[in-house]
């Protein structure tokens, strides 16, 4: 990728994917309230239409209506952005969004506080009760989503620790890399894979026992990563934590399994569909991060090799 724009688009796609149904519902409420505010203001400005009780009530509590509208927006976007705050660009957007939200609330609080006081200098009980309920519900909602996100990360971390301590997983990984070392076999050879899946006994005999066990072990690893990929897509596992820990390992596993995947998909088109989709998403980010590191390294080298000027 030559610039930031393509990956920015992918980042916002990740934000949309991480949003729950309730986030979309709250954004719909924000959209409805925004339309109502705009229509009410329009009717108020049109001569003769702004005299109704509804419009009069709206104008008297204008700031409160806009505060509620902004609250719906905050609740709809905060948690999806919070979920992606550890990803590339995520921290920057999270800080900017948080700053804008806080500053906007300060401004709105100043204006909304004037709506609490009626013409007789008494607090409007309906507005006070509404604002109290909204603040209580919004606090519970944000806390609930953050707690769910923390549980998801905790569950993912426990799964990674169990994998690290799993003797079966470690044994299968070791067996693959010992039989097909990376330097000699970046990919398990196609003829080995075809022999392994062959129904002809004589054809299978061309593979020695260690290679047969290694292909079995590689299929075991593929099934494990397919399970992880489905966990991410179903939002039961944390995408960012897994990307930071096994992103490169997954890429190496899929390169190693190129001909296994080709054979399996030919036999069953939906085979390993989740791990393929996850790799497509992660690979784009890996390529982007590698290009940024290379350009940064190149700049450092250029600076180190800058010839000194003579007086």
């Amino acid at each position: 990728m030559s610039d930031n724009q393509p990956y920015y688009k992918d980042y916002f796609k990740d934000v949309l994917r991480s949003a729950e149904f309730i986030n979309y519902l709250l954004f719909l409420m924000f959209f409805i309230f925004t339309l109502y505010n705009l229509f009410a203001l329009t009717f108020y400005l049109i001569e003769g239409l702004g005299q109704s009780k509804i419009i009069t009530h709206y104008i008297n509590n204008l700031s409160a209506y806009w505060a509620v509208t902004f609250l719906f927006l905050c609740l709809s976007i905060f948690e999806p952005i919070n979920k992606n705050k550890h990803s590339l660009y995520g921290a920057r957007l999270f800080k900017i969004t948080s700053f804008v939200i806080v500053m906007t609330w300060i401004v709105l609080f100043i204006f909304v506080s004037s709506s609490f006081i009626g013409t007789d200098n008494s607090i409007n009980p309906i507005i006070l009760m509404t604002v109290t309920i909204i603040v209580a519900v919004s606090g519970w909602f944000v806390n609930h989503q953050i707690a769910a996100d923390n549980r998801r990360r905790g569950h993912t971390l426990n799964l990674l620790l169990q994998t690290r301590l799993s003797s079966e997983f470690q044994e299968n990984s070791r067996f693959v890399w010992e039989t097909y070392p990376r330097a000699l076999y970046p990919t398990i050879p196609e003829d080995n894979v075809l022999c392994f899946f062959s129904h002809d006994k004589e054809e299978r005999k061309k593979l020695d026992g260690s290679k047969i066990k290694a292909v079995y072990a590689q299929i075991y690893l593929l099934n494990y990563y397919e399970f992880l990929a489905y966990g991410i897509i179903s939002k039961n596992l944390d995408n960012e934590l897994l990307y930071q820990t096994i992103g490169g390992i997954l890429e190496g596993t899929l390169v190693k399994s190129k001909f296994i995947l080709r054979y399996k998909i030919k036999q069953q088109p939906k085979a390993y569909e989740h791990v393929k989709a996850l790799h497509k998403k992660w690979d784009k980010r890996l390529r982007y991060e590698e290009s940024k590191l290379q350009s940064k390294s190149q700049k450092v080298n250029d600076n180190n090799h800058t010839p000194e000027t003579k007086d």
Side-chain angles (χ1 to χ4, degrees):
M1 297 182 182
S2 59
D3 52 48
N4 295 346
Q5 186 178 2
Y7 191 78
Y8 269 122
K9 293 180 180 178
D10 293 323
Y11 169 74
F12 285 112
K13 288 179 182 177
D14 290 340
V15 171
L16 290 176
R17 291 191 193 101
S18 62
E20 306 286 349
F21 171 76
I22 187 65
N23 297 110
Y24 288 105
L25 181 62
L26 288 167
F27 190 82
L28 177 62
M29 293 300 298
F30 159 74
F31 182 73
I32 292 173
F33 266 70
T34 301
L35 287 180
Y36 176 78
N37 288 329
L38 294 176
F39 279 120
L41 285 173
T42 302
F43 289 151
Y44 174 73
L45 295 175
I46 297 176
E47 186 177 357
L49 295 179
Q51 304 301 320
S52 66
K53 291 183 179 180
I54 296 178
I55 302 300
T56 302
H57 179 271
Y58 171 80
I59 295 301
N60 291 336
N61 302 282
L62 178 66
S63 56
Y65 274 98
W66 279 105
V68 173
T69 303
F70 182 69
L71 178 64
F72 281 125
L73 176 62
C74 294
L75 295 178
S76 65
I77 67 173
F78 178 78
E79 185 54 21
I81 292 176
N82 181 59
K83 287 179 181 177
N84 293 274
K85 68 181 179 181
H86 298 295
S87 65
L88 192 65
Y89 300 124
R92 186 185 308 172
L93 183 62
F94 179 80
K95 291 177 181 178
I96 294 173
T97 304
S98 300
F99 175 78
V100 172
I101 288 176
V102 170
M103 295 305 297
T104 306
W105 272 119
I106 292 175
V107 174
L108 285 173
F109 177 78
I110 296 173
F111 287 99
V112 172
S113 60
S114 63
S115 300
F116 289 162
I117 309 300
T119 54
D120 56 350
N121 292 327
S122 62
I123 295 178
N124 188 324
I126 296 178
I127 296 179
L128 180 60
M129 181 178 64
T130 302
V131 172
T132 302
I133 293 174
I134 290 175
V135 170
V137 171
S138 62
W140 170 85
F141 175 75
V142 172
N143 182 69
H144 172 75
Q145 288 207 318
I146 293 177
D149 195 33
N150 290 335
R151 286 194 298 269
R152 185 183 297 109
R153 280 197 294 270
H155 177 59
T156 304
L157 184 59
N158 288 334
L159 183 62
L160 289 172
L161 291 174
Q162 290 173 12
T163 301
R164 180 68 181 85
L165 298 175
S166 170
S167 58
E168 184 178 8
F169 182 88
Q170 298 302 325
E171 183 179 351
N172 280 287
S173 298
R174 179 181 56 79
F175 205 85
V176 170
W177 296 115
E178 286 182 353
T179 308
Y180 295 104
R182 184 191 298 270
L184 298 177
Y185 300 97
T187 300
I188 297 178
E190 185 175 14
D191 58 338
N192 287 190
V193 174
L194 293 177
C195 286
F196 175 85
F197 287 113
S198 176
H199 296 290
D200 188 342
K201 292 183 179 180
E202 295 299 322
E203 187 72 16
R204 284 179 63 90
K205 287 181 180 179
K206 295 180 180 179
L207 278 184
D208 58 49
S210 62
K211 290 184 178 179
I212 290 177
K213 290 181 180 179
V215 176
Y216 269 123
Q218 190 66 16
I219 293 174
Y220 169 89
L221 297 175
L222 275 176
N223 291 336
Y224 172 75
Y225 288 119
E226 173 69 6
F227 160 73
L228 290 185
Y230 178 74
I232 292 173
I233 292 173
S234 62
K235 300 180 181 180
N236 290 312
L237 296 176
D238 187 76
N239 175 79
E240 185 62 24
L241 179 56
L242 286 174
Y243 172 81
Q244 296 291 351
T245 51
I246 66 168
I249 298 174
L250 176 64
E251 182 182 26
T253 301
L254 294 185
V255 170
K256 199 83 171 177
S257 311
K258 175 182 176 181
F259 296 111
I260 296 176
L261 288 169
R262 181 179 297 179
Y263 180 87
K264 286 283 191 179
I265 293 169
K266 185 178 180 180
Q267 300 299 315
Q268 185 182 359
K270 290 181 69 66
Y272 300 109
E273 61 176 335
H274 300 107
V275 77
K276 286 192 303 176
L278 182 65
H279 177 253
K280 183 178 179 181
K281 172 185 172 183
W282 282 4
D283 184 65
K284 186 180 294 186
R285 180 174 171 185
L286 281 168
R287 300 284 78 75
Y288 178 81
E289 291 177 349
E290 286 175 359
S291 67
K292 298 293 286 185
L293 287 174
Q294 289 175 359
S295 62
K296 185 180 295 185
S297 177
Q298 184 64 38
K299 289 180 180 178
V300 172
N301 291 333
D302 291 343
N303 291 334
N304 291 337
H305 290 84
T306 300
E308 296 181 0
T309 57
K310 294 183 179 181
D311 295 335

